[in-house]
Amino acid sequence: MRKELPIALSNRHVHLSKEHIEKLFGEGYELTKMKDLSQPGQFAAEEKIDVVGPKGTLKGVRVLGPARGSTQVEISLTDGFKLGVVPPVRNSGDLAGSPGVKLVGPKGEVELKEGVIAAARHIHMHTDDAKEFGVKDKDIVKVRVRGQRGLIFENVLVRVSPNYALEMHVDVDEGNAAGVKNGDMVELIKE
């Protein structure tokens, strides 16, 4: 059974709905692809916006594409201190009851009532990878990081889809605590 997989650090970013793209960048605006991300069909856009909270601003936050059904701001807990919000640790798309912020673009602003989260650590797996690792969608596993700052990440959600590429995602705070960098190999632990 396979045990090792790559890890990647996810820096602060924003997923925008089509409506919010147009409010921030102009009517009919389309995001400009800067580079593809590891997950098929996902990309880092050239566009950046400012995220404004009650206590501070995160300037130049990268927008990821394509457009989504709902706008979602993903930040670290440390970013939350700067903004003056406490982002709940949540799975992507679980936005109910999360704090809101103001988004500022070159052509307008959007006042979000909710939508700010610290993304829960998770693993993207293609269906073929899931078979090799002996896991299924929504399983919760542990992941061991070796090295000087080695640790075991608990409560790691496995997300399985034929549209995913194998990779574990943690935020910058978690990655720095473990001393990992993009592409380092980590070990999945099934219990």
Side-chain angles (χ1 to χ4, degrees):
M1 185 171 72
R2 195 162 159 198
K3 291 189 175 192
E4 287 202 324
L5 66 150
I7 192 168
L9 283 67
S10 180
N11 202 355
R12 66 180 74 113
H13 61 272
V14 180
H15 299 278
L16 296 172
S17 67
K18 181 69 177 150
E19 173 193 1
H20 290 164
I21 290 170
E22 291 190 353
K23 283 186 178 176
L24 295 167
F25 296 100
E27 190 174 334
Y29 193 88
E30 297 286 332
L31 295 175
T32 308
K33 184 189 293 188
M34 181 180 78
K35 70 175 184 174
D36 287 318
L37 299 176
S38 62
Q39 296 309 306
Q42 304 293 307
F43 62 90
E46 293 283 351
E47 292 77 12
K48 295 179 182 179
I49 61 172
D50 294 342
V51 177
V52 182
K55 289 187 176 176
T57 300
L58 297 173
K59 293 200 152 296
V61 176
R62 178 78 55 201
V63 176
L64 301 186
R68 289 215 178 161
S70 298
T71 293
Q72 176 172 298
V73 179
E74 293 184 37
I75 62 173
S76 69
L77 298 178
T78 301
D79 289 334
F81 295 128
K82 180 167 185 172
L83 290 175
V85 299
V86 179
V89 177
R90 299 264 182 90
N91 294 324
S92 183
D94 182 3
L95 307 176
S98 62
V101 289
K102 180 166 64 172
L103 306 178
V104 180
K107 302 279 185 177
E109 299 180 352
V110 171
E111 197 72 49
L112 287 183
K113 298 289 182 228
E114 61 186 16
V116 179
I117 64 168
R121 56 184 79 116
H122 59 278
I123 300 170
H124 291 276
M125 278 195 188
H126 186 275
T127 47
D128 294 340
D129 295 315
K131 288 176 193 157
E132 286 184 43
F133 280 89
V135 296
K136 63 187 183 317
D137 191 46
K138 296 187 177 64
D139 276 359
I140 303 295
V141 298
K142 295 179 181 181
V143 174
R144 175 179 286 122
V145 175
R146 302 209 185 273
Q148 187 174 13
R149 301 194 81 190
L151 53 74
I152 294 177
F153 286 115
E154 297 195 14
N155 306 315
V156 181
L157 174 69
V158 175
R159 299 174 60 194
V160 178
S161 167
N163 301 319
Y164 289 158
L166 182 64
E167 191 170 65
M168 179 178 177
H169 290 171
V170 295
D171 70 25
V172 172
D173 286 352
E174 293 176 303
N176 288 339
V180 294
K181 62 186 182 313
N182 290 336
D184 282 355
M185 298 302 284
V186 294
E187 178 189 356
L188 185 138
I189 303 169
K190 255 181 55 171
E191 293 189 335

